[in-house]
């Protein structure tokens, strides 16, 4: 795998993302609460441009018949059919067996670096 310099850390603040034009459709690099995560820009549902979706949270049952908003900024919702992807693991929330390919990303010598 090759290393790609993405940007300086200050150019990718928490909640932001950038699309790196490598591979067929690119790789999205996200800053999730100060940690970098990189995923393939293809939704496993029908191949939509996953990284063009919304960075959001999701709901979880808190007590019977009630739901709480959780994991704000950790979930990527595909723009085509709203499939929710956990950016921390790459897993599809509705079907945890399915995953989006993830890539290593870190800060080195003042640059965000992606290995893909």
């Amino acid at each position: 795998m090759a290393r790609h310099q993405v940007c300086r850390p200050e150019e990718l603040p928490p909640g932001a993302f950038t699309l790196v034009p490598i591979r067929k459709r690119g790789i999205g690099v996200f800053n999730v609460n100060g940690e970098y995560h990189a995923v393939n820009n293809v939704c496993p549902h029908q191949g939509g441009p996953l990284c063009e979706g919304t960075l959001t949270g999701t709901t979880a049952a808190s007590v019977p018949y009630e739901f709480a908003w959780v994991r704000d900024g950790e979930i990527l919702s595909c723009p085509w059919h709203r499939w929710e992807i956990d950016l921390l693991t790459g897993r599809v929330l509705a079907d945890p067996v399915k995953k989006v390919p993830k890539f290593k990303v870190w800060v080195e010598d003042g640059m965000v670096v992606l290995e893909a």
Side-chain angles (χ1 to χ4, degrees):
M1 292 201 173
R3 290 180 176 205
H4 306 270
Q5 289 190 342
V6 177
C7 63
R8 290 189 298 280
E10 59 270 15
E11 296 173 316
L12 196 61
F17 97 98
T18 188
L19 187 62
V20 181
I22 56 176
R23 298 200 167 207
K24 278 187 172 183
R25 308 240 324 257
I27 294 175
V29 178
F30 294 81
N31 183 331
V32 179
N33 302 318
E35 294 183 5
Y36 299 102
H37 297 273
V39 295
N40 201 30
N41 186 30
V42 179
C43 181
H45 177 226
Q46 289 188 344
L50 180 61
C51 296
E52 292 178 17
T54 305
L55 194 56
T56 185
T58 191
T59 55
S62 52
V63 294
Y65 307 108
E66 290 185 24
F67 293 89
W69 185 253
V70 297
R71 307 195 53 206
D72 198 32
E74 297 180 4
I75 307 300
L76 182 58
S77 178
C78 179
W80 282 10
H81 302 106
R82 303 292 178 237
W83 270 41
E84 294 178 321
I85 311 300
D86 180 342
L87 281 176
L88 307 184
T89 64
R91 295 203 182 276
V92 176
L93 295 187
D95 186 355
V97 173
K98 293 186 179 182
K99 287 182 77 174
V100 172
K102 285 196 60 155
F103 301 90
K104 291 181 183 179
V105 61
W106 65 94
V107 175
E108 179 178 271
D109 297 328
M111 294 295 289
V112 177
V113 178
L114 168 67
E115 184 176 80

